[in-house]
Amino acid sequence: MRRMLTVSCVVLCIILFTSGVASAGNNIWTSNGPYGGPIWALGADPTNQAIVYAGTWGMGVFKSINGGSTWNAINTGVTNHFISAIAITPSNSAIVYMGTGGGGLFKSTNGGSKWKMVSPGTPYLFVNFLEIDPTNPATVYAATESGIYKTTNAGTSWDEINAGLTSSRVYALAIDPAIPTTIYAGTMDGGVFKSTNAGSSWIAKNTGLTNSYVYSLRIDPKTPTTIYAGTEGSGVFKSINSGMTWKPANKGLTNHYIYALVINPMNPASIYAGTSGGGVFKSVNAGVSWIAINTGLTNRYISVIAASSAAIYSGTNGGGVFKSTDAGTTWKATNAKLNGVTVHGLQVDPTHSATIYAGTGGGGVFKSTDACASWKAINTGLKETFVSVLAIDPTTPKILYAGINGEGIFKSTNAGASWKAAKTGLTSLLIYTLAIDPTNPATLYAGTINKGVFKSTNAGASWSAVNIGVTTSWVYSLAIDPTNSATIYAGTWGGGVFKSTDAGASWIAVNTGLIDPYVYSLVIDPDSSVVLYAGTGHSGVFKSSDAGANWIAVNVGLKSNVIDVLEIDPINSSVVYAGTRDRGAFKSSNSGAAWKAINGGLTSTSVYALAVDPLSPGTVHAGTAGGVFSINFTTKQAH
């Protein structure tokens, strides 16, 4: 979690993401990018420079056998797809250990073809880092949110080794290559600890270390008494006496949030530092001075760095993997088929259905003008890259709005070429949903976390709270009656559905029969506006046939209770689609009376956004934890 929570503002350059041949399979989903996403773990095979592993945050682990040119998911046996650590055994690179964010530890003995859980204690362990003893590959150390664990039998059993640690949140480990019983640990709020007895006991070593948040540690392989520590906020520290004392080593380092350090094993004076927002820095004189090396690096939030004999790889918090083959002088995105992008918002241009916009978690906004064949990031002017929702003006499609996590609302009037803040009057900058009045697009509504509903009557130039009668401040969904735009519905977290018949001036709860007060999605039947569907957080889908006065559950065949998004076919309103948190996509062809899973080809079961092509309703796009998927239903299947 720490890498996501510490992301600050950035302006991304335009980058081209190609996905090969875009397609919408007939009655089967096709993956169409954009590729990349947040990468928290990387592993470069020390014996084969063509083999690289990448851990994504939500789509599991991927492997490249051609130096990152293309990737394939390798998740057989993996039960948690939030990958936080990878370690390759130096003496036998077919043996790989992998840590997850809350799902414990896994091991593969065949280069990732199959995995088996080898988790110590609880299977819900959050693993931050893994380190293998260079002289005894059966000994492995795991740094976790619950302290340090050790195995001496290749993962068969584990022991807690926390004696002397005053901080249980451990983020980094480094083993002395000359004396493997000497180990260093970097912790959150405890600084650096050292063990001289293979972890049996630890003692703090923080003299001169003015920041106790240590997220990366590296030991000089030729002079193990020299150690580098990367901190959160105070840059790099260096010790030349085995951790007895530390001094800052930050000359030229303009970003002091250090989440990754790598030392060139062939030239230990050459060090790379990955920062949160400042990209990669390099020192060629053992940390005496640093220079930024970011040419081509269009995402500068660096989570992890790995090096092989032929290349350096940087994993970013939203932009996927970047590769340098010239010691960091230049970088190039290398993400083909790396399905790690989480898509929270999707919009199709109502006048040109080949133009599609995707709002992502960490990568900003992407745009395709060729029906998903290629994508480019369109983030000029955005101050944050976690996009929670997108909205497109139905009459002027060049006008777009983006809800940005922590930064409010941004607006583009040139089809995403540039963005400007449109948040005057917003007292909450956590935007969860947006709705545009179909009859007067200058009127918009925004649902926020903590501050309820806001309204703009001047196309986002200013906003005012409109919450009279709303008894909860978390608004997750909004729907405007297409035949009477003064009627609006709001789905809330904990308060169910509220209704306004005076354009937001006042609201009343309309929850009779709605047993689940957590409403994530609302849609209105375009042919009969008294018919509504509500997707809930715990109880599936509910339907009202009397403008919200009464609700009934409509869940026959629906295998998930967590409904993140609902969409209705604009031509045949008896066709309803549901995107679920954990079971993929479902479709009803009879107005919700029964549902059928439509998951063929869908490699992500977390569907956060749906968009039906308004010019060809048989084509549906899904925003998932693994990018955009598209499907084309035949006439018989669709209706």
Side-chain angles (χ1 to χ4, degrees), residues 216-220 226-230 236-239 246 249 261 263 268-269 271 285-287 290:
S216 185
L217 286 170
R218 283 291 183 264
I219 298 176
D220 186 320
T226 297
I227 313 160
Y228 300 88
V236 177
F237 286 78
K238 179 180 179 180
S239 173
W246 299 86
L261 287 171
I263 297 176
I271 312 165
N285 51 17
W290 300 83

Side-chain angles (χ1 to χ4, degrees), residues 135-501:
T135 61
N136 181 6
T139 297
V140 184
Y141 298 87
T144 79
E145 293 287 327
S146 306
I148 302 172
Y149 289 81
K150 177 184 179 181
T151 178
T152 56
N153 51 20
T156 301
S157 61
W158 298 79
D159 295 308
E160 293 184 56
I161 52 167
N162 296 320
L165 285 180
T166 58
S167 173
S168 62
R169 303 182 69 178
V170 185
Y171 287 104
L173 292 168
I175 299 175
D176 187 321
I179 309 173
T181 54
T182 296
I183 313 164
Y184 299 86
T187 70
M188 182 176 181
D189 203 28
V192 175
F193 288 80
K194 180 179 179 179
S195 173
T196 57
N197 52 16
S200 295
S201 61
W202 301 85
I203 186 170
K205 293 291 182 180
N206 293 320
T207 301
L209 191 67
T210 58
N211 189 309
S212 60
Y213 290 75
V214 177
Y215 289 143
S216 185
L217 286 170
R218 283 291 183 264
I219 298 176
D220 186 320
K222 293 186 177 179
T223 310
T225 54
T226 297
I227 313 160
Y228 300 88
T231 69
E232 185 181 58
S234 299
V236 177
F237 286 78
K238 179 180 179 180
S239 173
I240 59 172
N241 53 15
S242 302
M244 294 298 293
T245 59
W246 299 86
K247 290 184 179 181
N250 291 323
K251 184 179 179 181
L253 200 63
T254 57
N255 185 298
H256 288 177
Y257 290 81
I258 312 297
Y259 290 144
L261 287 171
V262 168
I263 297 176
N264 185 336
M266 306 306 295
N267 178 15
S270 183
I271 312 165
Y272 300 87
T275 72
S276 178
V280 179
F281 288 78
K282 181 180 180 180
S283 174
V284 295
N285 51 17
V288 173
S289 61
W290 300 83
I291 58 169
I293 49 168
N294 292 322
T295 300
L297 193 66
T298 51
N299 187 305
R300 298 185 180 182
Y301 294 96
I302 310 300
S303 303
V304 60
I305 300 177
S308 72
S309 59
I312 306 163
Y313 299 89
S314 287
T316 67
N317 192 14
V321 179
F322 287 79
K323 178 182 179 180
S324 174
T325 56
D326 54 12
T329 301
T330 59
W331 299 86
K332 184 179 180 180
T334 176
N335 293 316
K337 300 301 179 182
L338 185 59
N339 294 84
V341 174
T342 300
V343 177
H344 294 284
L346 273 179
Q347 289 292 328
V348 180
D349 187 320
T351 62
H352 186 250
S353 57
T355 297
I356 304 166
Y357 300 89
T360 72
V365 181
F366 288 83
K367 179 180 180 180
S368 175
T369 57
D370 50 16
C372 303
S374 63
W375 297 86
K376 62 181 180 181
I378 50 169
N379 294 319
T380 301
L382 292 185
K383 293 186 176 181
E384 179 57 87
T385 54
F386 193 104
V387 181
S388 53
V389 63
L390 290 174
I392 189 167
D393 188 311
T395 59
T396 310
K398 289 185 176 181
I399 297 176
L400 298 157
Y401 299 88
I404 310 295
N405 186 36
E407 288 291 336
I409 297 169
F410 281 72
K411 178 181 179 180
S412 174
T413 58
N414 52 14
S418 61
W419 300 84
K420 291 184 178 180
K423 54 187 177 181
T424 300
L426 289 176
T427 56
S428 172
L429 299 181
L430 298 171
I431 311 300
Y432 209 89
T433 184
L434 291 168
I436 300 177
D437 187 327
T439 60
N440 180 14
T443 296
L444 298 91
Y445 298 86
T448 71
I449 295 176
N450 294 329
K451 297 294 182 179
V453 182
F454 286 79
K455 179 180 180 179
S456 173
T457 57
N458 51 15
S462 61
W463 298 83
S464 299
V466 285
N467 290 312
I468 294 176
V470 179
T471 57
T472 181
S473 59
W474 291 43
V475 177
Y476 274 29
S477 53
L478 291 165
I480 302 174
D481 188 324
T483 62
N484 178 9
S485 61
T487 297
I488 314 157
Y489 300 87
T492 70
W493 175 262
V497 176
F498 290 82
K499 179 180 180 179
S500 173
T501 57

Side-chain angles (χ1 to χ4, degrees), residues 19-71:
S19 61
V21 178
S23 60
N26 288 328
N27 302 317
I28 191 168
W29 296 95
T30 302
S31 174
N32 283 328
Y35 297 118
I39 305 297
W40 279 27
L42 285 171
D45 189 320
T47 62
N48 185 341
Q49 64 187 31
I51 294 178
V52 191
Y53 298 86
T56 71
W57 197 245
M59 289 298 289
V61 63
F62 286 73
K63 182 178 181 179
S64 174
I65 58 173
N66 51 19
S69 295
T70 57
W71 300 84

Side-chain angles (χ1 to χ4, degrees), residues 348 567-571 577 610-621:
V348 180
E567 282 292 329
I568 299 176
D569 187 311
I571 303 300
Y577 300 96
L610 290 168
V612 180
D613 187 332
L615 302 180
S616 177
T619 298
V620 183
H621 305 282

